[in-house]
Amino acid sequence: MCGVVGIVSHQPVNQALYDALTVLQHRGQDAAGIVTWGADGLQQHKRNGLVRDVFRTRHMMRLTGNVGIGHIRYPTAGGARSAEAQPFYVNSPYGICLGHNGNLTNHDELAEMLIHQDRRHLSTSSDSEVLLNVFAHEMQVRANGQPTAEQVFETVEAVHRRCRGGYAVVAMIVGVGVVAFRDPNGIRPLVLGEKRSEHGTEYMVASESVALDVLQFSRLRDVQPGETVFIENSGKLHSRQQQGEVRHTPCIFEFVYFARPDSILDDLSVYKTRLRMGEQLAGKIVRDFPEHDIDVVIPIPDTSRTAAVQVAHHLGVKYREGFIKNRYIGRTFIMPGQAERAKSVRHKLNAIDLEFRGKNVLLVDDSIVRGTTSRQIIKLAREAGARRVYFASAAPPVRHPNVYGIDMPAASELIANGRSVEEIQALIGADKLIYQDLHGLIRSVRHGNSPIEEFDTSCFSGEYVTGDVTDEYLHDLESRRNDVAKRLRDARHKGIIGVEEAEPERQSTAIGL
């Protein structure tokens, strides 16, 4: 999962881009980058690390210009090298920079075509670089002097025809403007905002509406599935909806875990969604555990708080904060290795004995993915003196890989894959485990008069909305993206081991790219 932002303004955008990336930091902690354009030409700074660590005063002073894009990432298709920090850049045609949130399911096919047919060079294993080169090639085909809005729209239509998967893109055509678009399923989020001032109208696109709020941009609307938004450097806004088939199926896991509760995605309030998840979960607990002896409901900070409050309210039991979180530790789920995730739990959370000792506690979390965190937290609760520890997940069992940009693709690393609820309960050490139903989750997210009829629920249901995900693809993904493969890749990039020892089955592809 990544975060993207783009701004076209009448004043310098460096600080605004920095502030937006800081607000979106929860979407990725691996790397950050900003590219700007102005009288001094193209300016860029990016590298691995948190936003606050990547950008110093000397970097910000060099990022001049009134137009720019930014990106924060954690590694999904690519690795964790600084070379894969975004935005990426190609100098032909015009000069194009691009930041991408999502994942292309036909990455390998596109890479081969780009190298052997389009005659373009790829220097990383990132699908974002592939997407950039597809965009650049299609624009090159249509290049005829200064690019027009029509040429931009035709270029993105061609990208949609070639690319499959989930993607939300913000690109900057140097000296021309900013382009933003979503895949035809609208799997990954992207919102559009504006700010009116005495100097004129400024426009901003970002992964979540909270970035607009912080910078005092008014939220206009979501960029629609298959839609292209083109903002000229002058501030003129153009948009066009894709002519082909559009099927709006946003990722439901955005609402479960990734998005901030104060964001609005696809006209749906994330906060209200999580309130409703708590209500639905409370109903499931009453049905599955009617004679419960729960003394207190305790959330696993931070994402599950909203749901946990509602669970406690509807069960008629106390709600308490039983864990204190160290704010300076990253989000456990998006850490790149299993060992790092396990180690970080005790560094991140500390139990308040007073809230556990001698009590039957219900711990509420937003979801259970690998199970490492859940197991460690239950152990912390028992060590704090809890008599019984029950565990409830506000989301259904995560049994299948996510292939659209969330870093949990290896089925073997999902604790629910191939296991019953009772088996998972035993593995995490809970006295009872209760999961939300999928239909209950969907009811929670689809509130109000939302026109959205379905969501991408692939990690729960195994049904992939793009229709191109085969068993062979999932098997290949498993071999590339499990934790062992990632550690070997990182070691190879650091020069600890050679290519042959790290990934023998991928050696030829790596060299070819």
Side-chain angles (χ1 to χ4, degrees), residues 131-294:
L131 203 158
L132 167 61
N133 277 275
V134 171
F135 181 88
H137 174 77
E138 295 299 335
M139 179 146 277
Q140 180 76 59
V141 170
R142 293 159 180 81
N144 182 18
Q146 186 81 347
T148 64
E150 184 65 29
Q151 289 171 341
V152 171
F153 295 144
E154 290 177 0
T155 294
V156 177
E157 292 250 350
V159 170
H160 290 321
R161 288 194 294 270
R162 294 182 65 176
C163 297
R164 299 193 299 271
Y167 48 91
V169 174
V170 175
M172 181 172 69
I173 304 173
V174 176
V176 177
V178 168
V179 183
F181 57 92
R182 290 173 81 183
D183 66 85
N185 290 98
I187 297 173
R188 302 267 70 88
L190 196 62
V191 295
L192 171 67
E194 69 171 8
K195 183 193 291 185
R196 298 181 183 273
S197 69
E198 57 197 36
H199 304 293
T201 303
E202 304 172 25
Y203 290 101
M204 175 178 176
V205 287
S207 292
E208 294 186 32
S209 65
V210 66
L212 307 180
D213 299 338
V214 168
L215 294 174
Q216 298 183 304
F217 277 74
S218 299
R219 178 180 171 274
L220 285 177
R221 58 183 175 82
D222 297 276
V223 176
Q224 295 302 301
E227 181 186 14
T228 304
V229 172
F230 172 44
I231 309 161
E232 296 184 42
N233 285 352
S234 63
K236 187 174 182 181
L237 176 72
H238 310 265
S239 67
R240 177 180 292 180
Q241 181 65 47
Q242 180 190 3
Q243 299 301 309
E245 181 181 354
V246 172
R247 176 189 174 199
H248 196 181
T249 54
C251 174
I252 205 165
F253 209 74
E254 288 275 358
F255 298 90
V256 172
Y257 177 81
F258 273 106
R260 274 182 41 156
D262 45 346
S263 283
I264 297 174
L265 305 180
D266 290 306
D267 288 324
L268 295 169
S269 164
V270 177
Y271 178 74
K272 187 172 182 179
T273 287
R274 290 177 184 167
L275 283 175
R276 291 166 58 91
M277 286 166 61
E279 295 169 4
Q280 293 289 329
L281 182 58
K284 181 74 185 306
I285 292 169
V286 169
R287 293 192 300 273
D288 288 5
F289 197 13
E291 303 300 325
H292 73 78
D293 55 354
I294 300 167

Side-chain angles (χ1 to χ4, degrees), residues 17 65 88 105 114 129 145 249 293 315 326 338 372 393 455 492:
L17 290 168
F88 285 121
T105 53
L114 284 167
E129 189 188 17
T249 54
D293 55 354
L315 293 183
N326 181 350
Q338 186 79 344
T372 307
S393 168
F455 295 87
R492 182 194 66 186

Side-chain angles (χ1 to χ4, degrees), residues 281-282 285 292 294-300 304-323 355-356 359-365 390 392:
L281 182 58
I285 292 169
H292 73 78
I294 300 167
D295 297 316
V296 61
V297 173
I298 295 176
I300 311 302
S304 63
R305 279 198 176 99
T306 309
V309 168
Q310 290 295 88
V311 170
H313 172 73
H314 286 278
L315 293 183
V317 300
K318 295 177 182 177
Y319 170 89
R320 291 289 186 270
E321 293 284 342
F323 294 104
E355 299 297 350
F356 290 92
K359 298 177 182 178
N360 299 330
V361 300
L362 173 67
L363 304 180
V364 177
D365 208 350
Y390 308 123

